[in-house]
C-alpha cells in the first residue's frame, strides 16, 4: 500500500537518494529511476535555498534533532516548486554513526 500524498525519500550521508517512494514520484514528477543515486540538493533544492538547506542537513547528521521537523521548497521535474513540510529521522548503524536520513513530507 502506498500513499501518493506523502513524499518519502531516504538520503545517504552524502545526500545521494537511496530510496524514493511512490508519493515522491507523484508529487515531484520524477520517476524513481530518474533520481536514484543522484544528489538531492542538485535536483530538488532551489539555488537560493541551497546554503540554508545544506546547513540543516549537516546539522541533522551531527545530531541536531531540532531539525526533525522542517519546511522548505523543492523544485519539481516541470520546474514548478512545492512547499513541503518534512518529518526527518536519522538512521544510525550499530556503532551509532549516522548512515541515512529518512524523510516524510506533505505539501503545505
Amino acid at each position: 500500500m502506498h500513499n501518493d500524498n506523502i513524499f518519502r525519500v531516504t538520503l545517504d550521508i552524502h545526500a545521494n537518494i537511496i530510496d524514493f517512494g511512490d508519493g515522491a514520484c507523484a508529487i515531484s514528477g520524477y520517476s524513481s529511476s530518474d533520481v536514484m543515486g543522484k544528489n538531492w540538493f542538485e535536483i530538488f533544492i532551489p539555488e537560493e535555498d541551497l546554503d540554508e538547506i545544506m546547513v540543516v542537513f549537516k546539522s541533522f547528521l551531527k545530531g541536531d534533532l531540532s531539525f526533525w521537523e522542517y519546511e522548505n521548497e523543492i523544485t519539481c521535474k516541470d520546474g514548478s516548486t512545492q512547499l513541503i513540510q518534512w518529518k526527518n529521522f536519522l538512521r544510525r548503524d550499530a556503532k551509532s554513526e549516522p548512515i541515512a536520513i529518512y524523510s516524510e513530507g506533505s505539501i503545505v
Side-chain angles (χ1 to χ4, degrees):
M1 184 172 138
H2 60 84
N3 184 335
D4 286 349
N5 297 319
I6 303 295
F7 196 121
R8 291 183 176 92
V9 62
T10 306
L11 308 178
D12 70 13
I13 61 171
H14 305 291
N16 296 316
I17 299 165
I18 57 176
D19 188 39
F20 198 72
D22 291 339
C25 296
I27 292 167
S28 72
Y30 285 100
S31 70
S32 197
S33 61
D34 286 337
V35 299
M36 287 298 287
K38 296 184 179 167
N39 187 275
W40 170 259
F41 299 108
E42 292 173 8
I43 298 172
F44 289 100
I45 302 303
E47 178 98 19
E48 62 272 12
D49 298 337
L50 192 55
D51 290 342
E52 176 187 337
I53 304 302
M54 286 290 289
V55 167
V56 169
F57 180 79
K58 289 176 181 175
S59 296
F60 196 75
L61 280 177
K62 290 178 183 172
D64 183 352
L65 301 184
S66 65
F67 295 113
W68 82 274
E69 280 192 327
Y70 197 76
E71 190 175 286
N72 67 278
E73 283 192 339
I74 61 160
T75 303
C76 299
K77 188 173 185 176
D78 67 4
S80 66
T81 58
Q82 288 284 356
L83 184 60
I84 306 290
Q85 173 67 47
W86 299 103
K87 287 189 166 79
N88 301 298
F89 305 89
L90 187 59
R91 292 190 174 160
R92 297 178 183 271
D93 64 14
K95 295 179 182 176
S96 252
E97 294 295 320
I99 56 170
I101 295 176
Y102 169 75
S103 300
E104 288 186 356
S106 54
I107 297 172
V108 176

